[in-house]
Amino acid sequence: MTSSSQPAALARYLARHGFEPSSADPAWLDLDTGHQVIRVVHQPGETTHLYCLDPYNGCLYEARFSPGTPDAVITAAIGAVLSPPRRRTREGKR
């Protein structure tokens, strides 16, 4: 996949998962999960930012993806943030 098709693919992925423009800035695409806000800031040709914010807008997690990063890498990172953590058993195995 070329980087020129990436913005459309990433935009479709975000829309399918319920991300919407932030009221603070429409360039920010937010998803409120109830316990955190996941924010993606993507401008074609620029660094893509992924933030996880607590309810008070404190940053819990931040990732930056350079221009040209394949959309599969960015969507995998977003998917990991959307997935709840797996519990460990007593033996330490998942």
Side-chain angles (χ1 to χ4, degrees):
M1 176 175 284
T2 65
S3 61
S4 62
S5 66
Q6 182 178 341
L10 182 58
R12 285 192 305 272
Y13 175 88
L14 295 171
R16 276 196 322 266
H17 286 84
F19 284 80
E20 298 179 348
S22 170
S23 59
D25 185 329
W28 303 343
L29 298 175
D30 289 353
L31 177 64
D32 188 341
T33 67
H35 63 280
Q36 66 185 4
V37 173
I38 302 168
R39 174 170 291 159
V40 177
V41 181
H42 175 76
Q43 297 295 325
E46 295 184 19
T47 299
T48 298
H49 298 267
L50 169 61
Y51 301 100
C52 293
L53 307 168
D54 71 14
Y56 305 103
N57 287 327
C59 187
L60 300 171
Y61 174 82
E62 175 184 3
R64 297 178 191 178
F65 303 94
S66 62
T69 299
D71 63 326
V73 172
I74 298 171
T75 57
I78 295 167
V81 173
L82 291 172
S83 299
R86 295 174 68 179
R87 289 188 159 179
R88 291 181 166 241
T89 64
R90 283 187 117 156
E91 294 81 28
K93 297 180 182 177
R94 293 183 182 214

Coordinates of all heavy atoms in Angstrom, one line a residue:
M1 N 0.8 -1.2 0.0 CA 0.0 0.0 0.0 C 0.9 1.2 0.0 O 1.8 1.3 0.8 CB -0.9 0.0 1.2 CG -1.8 1.2 1.4 SD -2.9 1.1 2.7 CE -4.1 0.0 2.0
T2 N 0.6 2.2 -0.8 CA 1.4 3.4 -0.8 C 0.9 4.4 0.2 O -0.2 4.3 0.7 CB 1.3 4.1 -2.2 OG1 -0.1 4.5 -2.5 CG2 1.7 3.1 -3.3
S3 N 1.8 5.3 0.6 CA 1.4 6.3 1.6 C 0.3 7.2 1.1 O -0.4 7.8 1.9 CB 2.6 7.1 2.0 OG 3.2 7.8 0.9
S4 N 0.1 7.4 -0.3 CA -1.0 8.3 -0.7 C -2.3 7.7 -0.5 O -3.3 8.4 -0.4 CB -0.8 8.5 -2.2 OG -0.9 7.3 -2.9
S5 N -2.5 6.4 -0.3 CA -3.8 5.8 0.0 C -4.0 5.7 1.5 O -5.1 5.4 2.0 CB -3.9 4.4 -0.6 OG -2.9 3.5 0.0
Q6 N -2.9 5.9 2.3 CA -3.0 5.7 3.7 C -4.1 6.6 4.4 O -4.9 6.2 5.2 CB -1.7 5.9 4.4 CG -1.7 5.7 5.9 CD -0.4 5.9 6.5 OE1 0.6 5.8 5.8 NE2 -0.3 6.1 7.8
P7 N -4.1 8.0 4.1 CA -5.1 8.8 4.8 C -6.5 8.3 4.7 O -7.3 8.3 5.6 CB -4.9 10.2 4.2 CG -3.5 10.1 3.7 CD -3.2 8.7 3.3
A8 N -6.9 7.9 3.5 CA -8.3 7.4 3.3 C -8.5 6.1 4.1 O -9.6 6.0 4.7 CB -8.5 7.2 1.8
A9 N -7.6 5.2 4.0 CA -7.7 3.9 4.8 C -7.8 4.2 6.3 O -8.6 3.6 7.0 CB -6.6 3.0 4.4
L10 N -6.9 5.0 6.8 CA -6.9 5.4 8.2 C -8.2 6.1 8.6 O -8.8 5.7 9.6 CB -5.7 6.2 8.6 CG -5.5 6.6 10.0 CD1 -5.5 5.3 10.9 CD2 -4.3 7.4 10.2
A11 N -8.7 7.0 7.7 CA -9.9 7.7 8.0 C -11.1 6.7 8.1 O -12.0 6.8 9.0 CB -10.2 8.8 7.0
R12 N -11.1 5.7 7.2 CA -12.2 4.7 7.2 C -12.1 3.9 8.5 O -13.2 3.6 9.1 CB -12.1 3.8 6.0 CG -12.6 4.5 4.7 CD -12.8 3.5 3.5 NE -11.6 2.7 3.3 CZ -10.6 3.1 2.4 NH1 -10.7 4.3 1.8 NH2 -9.6 2.3 2.2
Y13 N -10.9 3.5 8.8 CA -10.8 2.7 10.1 C -11.3 3.5 11.3 O -12.0 2.9 12.1 CB -9.3 2.4 10.3 CG -9.0 1.6 11.6 CD1 -9.1 0.2 11.6 CD2 -8.7 2.3 12.7 CE1 -8.8 -0.4 12.8 CE2 -8.4 1.7 13.9 CZ -8.5 0.3 13.9 OH -8.3 -0.3 15.1
L14 N -10.9 4.7 11.4 CA -11.3 5.5 12.5 C -12.8 5.7 12.5 O -13.5 5.6 13.6 CB -10.6 6.9 12.5 CG -9.1 6.8 12.7 CD1 -8.4 8.2 12.4 CD2 -8.7 6.3 14.1
A15 N -13.4 6.0 11.4 CA -14.9 6.1 11.3 C -15.6 4.9 11.7 O -16.6 4.9 12.5 CB -15.3 6.6 9.9
R16 N -15.1 3.7 11.2 CA -15.7 2.4 11.6 C -15.7 2.2 13.1 O -16.5 1.5 13.7 CB -15.0 1.3 10.9 CG -15.5 1.0 9.5 CD -15.0 -0.4 9.0 NE -13.7 -0.8 9.4 CZ -12.6 -0.6 8.7 NH1 -12.6 0.0 7.5 NH2 -11.4 -1.0 9.2
H17 N -14.7 2.7 13.8 CA -14.6 2.5 15.2 C -15.2 3.6 16.1 O -15.0 3.6 17.3 CB -13.1 2.3 15.6 CG -12.6 0.9 15.1 ND1 -12.2 0.6 13.9 CD2 -12.6 -0.3 15.8 CE1 -11.9 -0.6 13.7 NE2 -12.1 -1.2 14.9
G18 N -15.8 4.5 15.4 CA -16.6 5.6 16.2 C -15.8 6.8 16.5 O -16.3 7.6 17.3
F19 N -14.7 7.0 16.0 CA -13.9 8.3 16.2 C -14.7 9.4 15.6 O -15.2 9.3 14.4 CB -12.5 8.2 15.6 CG -11.6 7.4 16.5 CD1 -11.6 6.0 16.4 CD2 -10.7 8.0 17.4 CE1 -10.7 5.2 17.2 CE2 -9.8 7.2 18.1 CZ -9.8 5.8 18.0
E20 N -14.8 10.6 16.3 CA -15.4 11.7 15.7 C -14.6 13.0 16.0 O -13.8 13.0 16.9 CB -16.8 11.9 16.5 CG -17.7 10.8 16.2 CD -19.0 11.0 17.0 OE1 -19.1 11.8 17.8 OE2 -20.0 10.2 16.6
P21 N -14.8 14.0 15.2 CA -14.0 15.3 15.4 C -14.2 15.8 16.9 O -15.4 15.8 17.4 CB -14.6 16.2 14.4 CG -15.1 15.4 13.3 CD -15.6 14.1 14.0
S22 N -13.2 16.2 17.5 CA -13.2 16.8 18.8 C -13.9 18.1 18.8 O -13.8 18.9 17.9 CB -11.8 16.9 19.4 OG -11.8 17.6 20.6
S23 N -14.6 18.5 19.9 CA -15.2 19.8 20.0 C -14.2 20.8 20.2 O -14.4 22.0 19.9 CB -16.3 19.8 21.1 OG -15.6 19.5 22.3
A24 N -13.0 20.5 20.7 CA -11.9 21.4 20.9 C -11.2 21.8 19.6 O -10.8 22.9 19.5 CB -10.9 20.8 21.9
D25 N -11.1 20.8 18.7 CA -10.4 21.0 17.5 C -10.8 20.0 16.5 O -10.6 18.8 16.7 CB -8.9 21.0 17.7 CG -8.1 21.4 16.4 OD1 -8.6 21.1 15.3 OD2 -7.0 21.9 16.6
P26 N -11.5 20.3 15.4 CA -11.9 19.3 14.5 C -10.9 18.5 13.8 O -11.1 17.4 13.2 CB -12.8 20.1 13.4 CG -12.3 21.5 13.5 CD -11.8 21.7 15.0
A27 N -9.6 18.9 13.9 CA -8.5 18.1 13.3 C -8.2 16.9 14.2 O -7.5 16.0 13.8 CB -7.2 18.9 13.1
W28 N -8.7 16.9 15.5 CA -8.5 15.8 16.4 C -9.6 14.9 16.3 O -10.8 15.3 16.4 CB -8.4 16.3 17.8 CG -7.3 17.4 18.1 CD1 -6.2 17.7 17.4 CD2 -7.3 18.2 19.2 NE1 -5.5 18.6 18.0 CE2 -6.1 19.0 19.1 CE3 -8.1 18.4 20.4 CZ2 -5.8 20.0 20.1 CZ3 -7.7 19.4 21.3 CH2 -6.6 20.1 21.1
L29 N -9.4 13.6 16.1 CA -10.4 12.6 16.1 C -10.4 11.9 17.4 O -9.4 11.3 17.8 CB -10.2 11.7 14.9 CG -10.3 12.4 13.6 CD1 -10.0 11.4 12.4 CD2 -11.7 13.0 13.3
D30 N -11.5 11.9 18.1 CA -11.6 11.4 19.5 C -12.6 10.2 19.6 O -13.6 10.2 18.9 CB -12.1 12.5 20.5 CG -11.0 13.5 20.7 OD1 -9.9 13.4 20.3 OD2 -11.4 14.5 21.4
L31 N -12.3 9.3 20.5 CA -13.2 8.3 20.9 C -13.2 8.2 22.4 O -12.2 8.0 23.0 CB -12.8 6.9 20.3 CG -13.7 5.7 20.7 CD1 -15.1 5.9 20.2 CD2 -13.1 4.4 20.2
D32 N -14.4 8.5 23.0 CA -14.5 8.4 24.5 C -15.0 7.0 24.8 O -16.1 6.6 24.5 CB -15.5 9.5 24.9 CG -15.5 9.6 26.5 OD1 -15.1 8.7 27.2 OD2 -16.0 10.7 26.9
T33 N -14.1 6.3 25.5 CA -14.5 4.9 25.9 C -15.2 4.8 27.3 O -15.5 3.8 27.7 CB -13.2 4.0 26.0 OG1 -12.4 4.5 27.1 CG2 -12.4 4.1 24.7
G34 N -15.3 6.0 27.9 CA -15.9 6.0 29.2 C -14.9 6.1 30.3 O -15.2 6.7 31.4
H35 N -13.7 5.6 30.1 CA -12.7 5.7 31.1 C -11.4 6.4 30.6 O -10.5 6.7 31.3 CB -12.3 4.3 31.8 CG -11.8 3.3 30.8 ND1 -12.6 2.6 29.9 CD2 -10.5 3.0 30.5 CE1 -11.9 1.8 29.2 NE2 -10.6 2.0 29.5
Q36 N -11.4 6.6 29.3 CA -10.3 7.3 28.7 C -10.8 7.9 27.3 O -11.8 7.4 26.8 CB -9.1 6.5 28.5 CG -9.3 5.3 27.5 CD -8.1 4.4 27.4 OE1 -7.1 4.6 28.2 NE2 -8.1 3.5 26.5
V37 N -10.1 8.9 26.8 CA -10.4 9.4 25.5 C -9.2 9.0 24.6 O -8.0 9.3 25.0 CB -10.5 10.9 25.5 CG1 -10.6 11.5 24.1 CG2 -11.8 11.3 26.3
I38 N -9.4 8.4 23.5 CA -8.4 8.0 22.6 C -8.5 9.1 21.5 O -9.5 9.3 20.9 CB -8.6 6.6 22.0 CG1 -8.6 5.6 23.2 CG2 -7.5 6.3 21.0 CD1 -9.1 4.2 22.8
R39 N -7.3 9.8 21.3 CA -7.3 10.9 20.3 C -6.2 10.5 19.2 O -5.1 10.1 19.5 CB -6.9 12.2 21.0 CG -6.7 13.3 20.0 CD -6.6 14.6 20.8 NE -7.9 14.9 21.3 CZ -8.1 15.8 22.3 NH1 -7.1 16.4 22.9 NH2 -9.3 16.0 22.8
V40 N -6.6 10.7 18.0 CA -5.7 10.6 16.8 C -5.7 11.9 16.1 O -6.7 12.5 15.8 CB -6.2 9.5 15.9 CG1 -5.3 9.4 14.7 CG2 -6.3 8.1 16.6
V41 N -4.5 12.4 15.9 CA -4.2 13.6 15.1 C -3.4 13.2 13.9 O -2.3 12.8 14.0 CB -3.5 14.6 16.0 CG1 -3.3 15.9 15.2 CG2 -4.2 14.9 17.3
H42 N -4.1 13.4 12.7 CA -3.4 13.0 11.5 C -3.6 14.1 10.4 O -4.8 14.4 10.1 CB -4.0 11.7 11.0 CG -3.5 11.3 9.6 ND1 -2.2 10.8 9.5 CD2 -4.0 11.4 8.4 CE1 -2.0 10.6 8.2 NE2 -3.0 11.0 7.5
Q43 N -2.6 14.6 9.9 CA -2.6 15.5 8.8 C -1.7 14.9 7.7 O -0.6 14.5 8.0 CB -2.0 16.9 9.2 CG -2.8 17.6 10.3 CD -4.2 17.9 9.8 OE1 -4.4 18.3 8.7 NE2 -5.2 17.9 10.7
P44 N -2.2 14.7 6.5 CA -1.4 14.1 5.5 C 0.0 14.7 5.3 O 0.1 16.0 5.4 CB -2.3 14.3 4.2 CG -3.7 14.4 4.7 CD -3.6 15.1 6.1
G45 N 1.0 13.9 5.3 CA 2.3 14.4 5.1 C 3.0 14.8 6.4 O 4.2 15.2 6.4
E46 N 2.3 14.7 7.5 CA 2.9 15.1 8.8 C 2.8 13.9 9.7 O 2.2 12.8 9.5 CB 2.1 16.2 9.4 CG 2.2 17.5 8.6 CD 1.5 18.7 9.3 OE1 1.2 18.6 10.5 OE2 1.2 19.6 8.6
T47 N 3.5 14.0 10.9 CA 3.5 13.0 11.9 C 2.1 12.7 12.4 O 1.3 13.6 12.6 CB 4.4 13.4 13.1 OG1 5.7 13.6 12.6 CG2 4.4 12.4 14.2
T48 N 1.7 11.4 12.6 CA 0.4 11.1 13.1 C 0.6 10.8 14.6 O 1.6 10.1 15.0 CB -0.1 9.8 12.5 OG1 -0.4 10.1 11.1 CG2 -1.4 9.4 13.1
H49 N -0.2 11.4 15.4 CA -0.1 11.2 16.9 C -1.3 10.4 17.4 O -2.4 10.6 17.0 CB -0.2 12.6 17.6 CG 1.0 13.5 17.2 ND1 2.1 13.6 17.9 CD2 1.1 14.4 16.2 CE1 3.0 14.4 17.3 NE2 2.4 14.9 16.3
L50 N -1.0 9.6 18.4 CA -2.0 8.8 19.1 C -1.9 9.0 20.5 O -0.8 8.9 21.1 CB -1.8 7.3 18.8 CG -2.6 6.3 19.6 CD1 -4.1 6.5 19.4 CD2 -2.2 4.9 19.3
Y51 N -3.0 9.5 21.2 CA -2.9 9.8 22.6 C -4.0 9.0 23.3 O -5.1 8.9 22.7 CB -3.2 11.3 22.9 CG -2.2 12.3 22.2 CD1 -2.6 12.9 21.1 CD2 -1.0 12.5 22.8 CE1 -1.7 13.8 20.5 CE2 -0.1 13.4 22.3 CZ -0.5 14.1 21.1 OH 0.4 14.9 20.5
C52 N -3.8 8.6 24.5 CA -4.8 8.1 25.4 C -4.8 9.1 26.6 O -3.8 9.3 27.3 CB -4.5 6.7 25.9 SG -4.6 5.5 24.6
L53 N -6.0 9.7 26.8 CA -6.1 10.7 27.9 C -7.0 10.2 28.9 O -8.1 9.6 28.7 CB -6.7 12.0 27.2 CG -5.9 12.5 26.0 CD1 -6.7 13.6 25.3 CD2 -4.5 13.0 26.4
D54 N -6.7 10.5 30.2 CA -7.6 10.2 31.3 C -8.8 11.2 31.3 O -8.7 12.2 30.5 CB -6.9 10.1 32.6 CG -6.4 11.5 33.2 OD1 -6.9 12.5 32.7 OD2 -5.6 11.4 34.1
P55 N -9.8 11.1 32.1 CA -10.9 12.0 32.1 C -10.5 13.5 32.3 O -11.3 14.4 32.0 CB -11.8 11.5 33.2 CG -11.5 10.1 33.3 CD -10.0 10.0 33.0
Y56 N -9.4 13.7 32.9 CA -9.0 15.1 33.1 C -8.0 15.6 32.1 O -7.3 16.5 32.3 CB -8.4 15.2 34.6 CG -9.4 14.6 35.6 CD1 -9.2 13.4 36.1 CD2 -10.5 15.4 35.9 CE1 -10.1 12.9 37.0 CE2 -11.4 14.9 36.8 CZ -11.2 13.6 37.4 OH -12.1 13.1 38.3
N57 N -7.9 14.9 31.0 CA -7.0 15.2 29.9 C -5.5 15.0 30.2 O -4.6 15.6 29.5 CB -7.2 16.6 29.3 CG -8.5 16.6 28.5 OD1 -8.9 15.6 27.9 ND2 -9.2 17.7 28.5
G58 N -5.2 14.3 31.2 CA -3.8 13.9 31.5 C -3.4 12.8 30.5 O -4.2 11.9 30.2
C59 N -2.2 12.9 30.0 CA -1.8 11.9 29.0 C -1.4 10.6 29.6 O -0.4 10.6 30.5 CB -0.6 12.5 28.1 SG -0.2 11.4 26.8
L60 N -2.0 9.5 29.3 CA -1.7 8.2 29.8 C -0.7 7.5 28.9 O 0.1 6.7 29.3 CB -2.9 7.3 30.0 CG -4.0 7.8 30.9 CD1 -5.2 7.0 30.7 CD2 -3.5 7.8 32.3
Y61 N -0.8 7.8 27.6 CA 0.0 7.1 26.6 C 0.1 8.0 25.4 O -0.9 8.7 25.0 CB -0.8 5.8 26.2 CG -0.2 5.0 25.1 CD1 0.9 4.2 25.3 CD2 -0.7 5.1 23.8 CE1 1.4 3.4 24.2 CE2 -0.2 4.4 22.7 CZ 0.9 3.6 23.0 OH 1.4 2.8 22.0
E62 N 1.2 8.0 24.7 CA 1.4 8.8 23.5 C 2.3 8.0 22.5 O 3.2 7.3 22.9 CB 2.1 10.1 23.8 CG 2.4 10.9 22.5 CD 3.1 12.2 22.8 OE1 3.5 12.4 24.0 OE2 3.4 12.9 21.9
A63 N 1.9 8.0 21.3 CA 2.7 7.3 20.2 C 2.7 8.3 19.0 O 1.8 9.0 18.8 CB 2.1 6.0 19.8
R64 N 3.9 8.3 18.4 CA 4.0 9.2 17.2 C 4.5 8.3 16.0 O 5.3 7.4 16.2 CB 5.1 10.2 17.4 CG 4.7 11.2 18.5 CD 5.8 12.2 18.7 NE 5.5 12.9 20.0 CZ 6.3 13.9 20.4 NH1 7.4 14.2 19.8 NH2 6.0 14.5 21.5
F65 N 3.9 8.5 14.9 CA 4.2 7.8 13.7 C 4.6 8.7 12.6 O 3.9 9.7 12.2 CB 2.9 7.0 13.2 CG 2.4 6.1 14.3 CD1 1.4 6.5 15.1 CD2 2.9 4.8 14.5 CE1 0.9 5.7 16.1 CE2 2.4 4.0 15.5 CZ 1.4 4.4 16.3
S66 N 5.8 8.5 12.0 CA 6.3 9.4 11.0 C 5.5 9.3 9.7 O 4.9 8.3 9.5 CB 7.8 9.0 10.8 OG 7.9 7.7 10.3
P67 N 5.6 10.3 8.9 CA 4.9 10.3 7.6 C 5.3 9.0 6.8 O 6.5 8.7 6.8 CB 5.3 11.6 6.9 CG 5.7 12.5 8.0 CD 6.3 11.6 9.1
G68 N 4.4 8.4 6.2 CA 4.7 7.2 5.4 C 4.6 5.9 6.2 O 4.8 4.8 5.6
T69 N 4.3 6.0 7.5 CA 4.2 4.8 8.3 C 2.9 4.0 7.7 O 1.9 4.6 7.5 CB 3.9 5.1 9.8 OG1 5.1 5.8 10.3 CG2 3.6 3.8 10.6
P70 N 3.1 2.7 7.5 CA 1.9 2.0 6.9 C 0.7 2.1 7.8 O 0.8 2.0 9.1 CB 2.4 0.6 6.8 CG 3.9 0.7 6.7 CD 4.2 1.9 7.6
D71 N -0.5 2.2 7.2 CA -1.7 2.3 8.0 C -1.9 1.1 8.9 O -2.5 1.2 10.0 CB -2.9 2.5 7.2 CG -3.2 1.4 6.2 OD1 -2.3 0.8 5.7 OD2 -4.4 1.2 5.9
A72 N -1.4 -0.1 8.5 CA -1.5 -1.3 9.3 C -0.8 -1.1 10.6 O -1.3 -1.6 11.7 CB -1.0 -2.5 8.6
V73 N 0.3 -0.4 10.7 CA 1.0 -0.2 11.9 C 0.2 0.7 12.8 O 0.1 0.5 14.0 CB 2.4 0.4 11.6 CG1 3.1 0.8 12.9 CG2 3.3 -0.6 10.8
I74 N -0.3 1.8 12.3 CA -1.1 2.7 13.1 C -2.4 2.1 13.6 O -2.7 2.2 14.7 CB -1.4 4.0 12.2 CG1 -0.1 4.7 11.8 CG2 -2.3 5.0 13.0 CD1 -0.2 5.8 10.8
T75 N -3.1 1.4 12.7 CA -4.3 0.8 13.1 C -4.1 -0.3 14.2 O -4.9 -0.5 15.1 CB -5.2 0.2 11.9 OG1 -4.4 -0.7 11.2 CG2 -5.6 1.4 11.0
A76 N -3.0 -1.0 14.1 CA -2.6 -2.0 15.1 C -2.4 -1.4 16.4 O -2.8 -1.9 17.5 CB -1.4 -2.8 14.7
A77 N -1.7 -0.2 16.4 CA -1.5 0.5 17.7 C -2.9 1.0 18.3 O -3.1 0.8 19.5 CB -0.6 1.7 17.5
I78 N -3.7 1.5 17.4 CA -5.0 1.9 17.9 C -5.8 0.7 18.4 O -6.5 0.8 19.5 CB -5.8 2.6 16.8 CG1 -5.1 3.9 16.4 CG2 -7.2 2.9 17.2 CD1 -5.6 4.6 15.1
G79 N -5.8 -0.4 17.7 CA -6.5 -1.6 18.1 C -6.0 -2.1 19.5 O -6.8 -2.5 20.3
A80 N -4.7 -2.0 19.7 CA -4.1 -2.4 21.0 C -4.7 -1.5 22.1 O -5.0 -2.0 23.2 CB -2.6 -2.4 21.0
V81 N -4.8 -0.2 21.9 CA -5.3 0.7 22.9 C -6.8 0.4 23.1 O -7.3 0.5 24.3 CB -5.1 2.1 22.4 CG1 -5.8 3.1 23.4 CG2 -3.7 2.5 22.3
L82 N -7.6 0.0 22.1 CA -9.0 -0.2 22.2 C -9.3 -1.6 22.9 O -10.3 -1.7 23.5 CB -9.7 -0.3 20.8 CG -9.8 1.1 20.1 CD1 -10.3 0.9 18.7 CD2 -10.7 2.0 20.9
S83 N -8.3 -2.5 22.9 CA -8.5 -3.8 23.5 C -8.3 -3.7 25.0 O -7.3 -3.2 25.4 CB -7.5 -4.8 22.9 OG -7.8 -5.0 21.5
P84 N -9.2 -4.3 25.8 CA -8.9 -4.3 27.2 C -7.7 -5.2 27.6 O -7.4 -6.1 26.8 CB -10.2 -4.9 27.8 CG -10.9 -5.6 26.7 CD -10.4 -5.0 25.4
P85 N -7.0 -4.8 28.6 CA -5.9 -5.7 29.0 C -6.3 -7.1 29.4 O -7.4 -7.3 29.9 CB -5.3 -4.9 30.2 CG -6.3 -3.9 30.6 CD -7.3 -3.7 29.5
R86 N -5.5 -8.0 29.0 CA -5.8 -9.4 29.4 C -5.4 -9.7 30.8 O -4.3 -9.2 31.2 CB -5.1 -10.3 28.4 CG -5.6 -10.2 27.0 CD -4.8 -10.9 26.0 NE -5.1 -12.4 26.2 CZ -4.5 -13.3 25.5 NH1 -3.7 -13.1 24.6 NH2 -4.8 -14.6 25.8
R87 N -6.2 -10.4 31.5 CA -5.9 -10.8 32.9 C -4.9 -12.0 32.9 O -4.9 -12.8 32.1 CB -7.1 -11.2 33.6 CG -8.0 -10.1 33.9 CD -9.1 -10.5 34.8 NE -9.7 -9.4 35.4 CZ -10.7 -9.4 36.2 NH1 -11.2 -10.6 36.5 NH2 -11.2 -8.4 36.8
R88 N -4.0 -11.9 33.9 CA -3.1 -13.0 34.1 C -3.7 -14.0 35.1 O -4.3 -13.6 36.0 CB -1.7 -12.5 34.6 CG -1.0 -11.7 33.6 CD 0.3 -11.2 34.1 NE 1.1 -10.8 33.0 CZ 2.3 -11.3 32.7 NH1 2.8 -12.3 33.4 NH2 2.9 -10.8 31.7
T89 N -3.3 -15.3 34.9 CA -3.8 -16.3 35.9 C -2.7 -16.3 37.0 O -1.7 -15.6 37.0 CB -3.8 -17.7 35.2 OG1 -2.5 -18.0 34.8 CG2 -4.8 -17.7 34.1
R90 N -3.0 -17.0 38.0 CA -2.1 -17.1 39.2 C -0.7 -17.6 38.8 O 0.3 -17.2 39.4 CB -2.7 -18.1 40.2 CG -3.8 -17.5 41.0 CD -4.1 -18.5 42.1 NE -3.8 -17.9 43.4 CZ -4.3 -18.2 44.5 NH1 -5.1 -19.2 44.5 NH2 -4.0 -17.6 45.6
E91 N -0.7 -18.4 37.8 CA 0.6 -18.9 37.4 C 1.4 -17.9 36.5 O 2.5 -18.2 36.1 CB 0.5 -20.2 36.6 CG -0.1 -21.4 37.4 CD -1.6 -21.3 37.5 OE1 -2.3 -20.8 36.7 OE2 -2.1 -21.8 38.6
G92 N 0.8 -16.8 36.2 CA 1.5 -15.8 35.4 C 1.3 -16.0 33.9 O 1.8 -15.3 33.1
K93 N 0.4 -17.0 33.6 CA 0.2 -17.2 32.2 C -1.1 -16.5 31.8 O -2.0 -16.4 32.6 CB 0.1 -18.7 31.9 CG 1.3 -19.5 32.2 CD 1.2 -20.9 31.9 CE 2.5 -21.7 32.2 NZ 2.3 -23.1 32.0
R94 N -1.3 -16.2 30.5 CA -2.5 -15.6 30.0 C -3.5 -16.6 29.6 O -3.2 -17.6 29.2 CB -2.2 -14.6 28.9 CG -1.4 -13.5 29.4 CD -1.2 -12.5 28.3 NE -0.4 -11.4 28.8 CZ -0.4 -10.2 28.4 NH1 -1.3 -9.9 27.5 NH2 0.3 -9.3 29.0

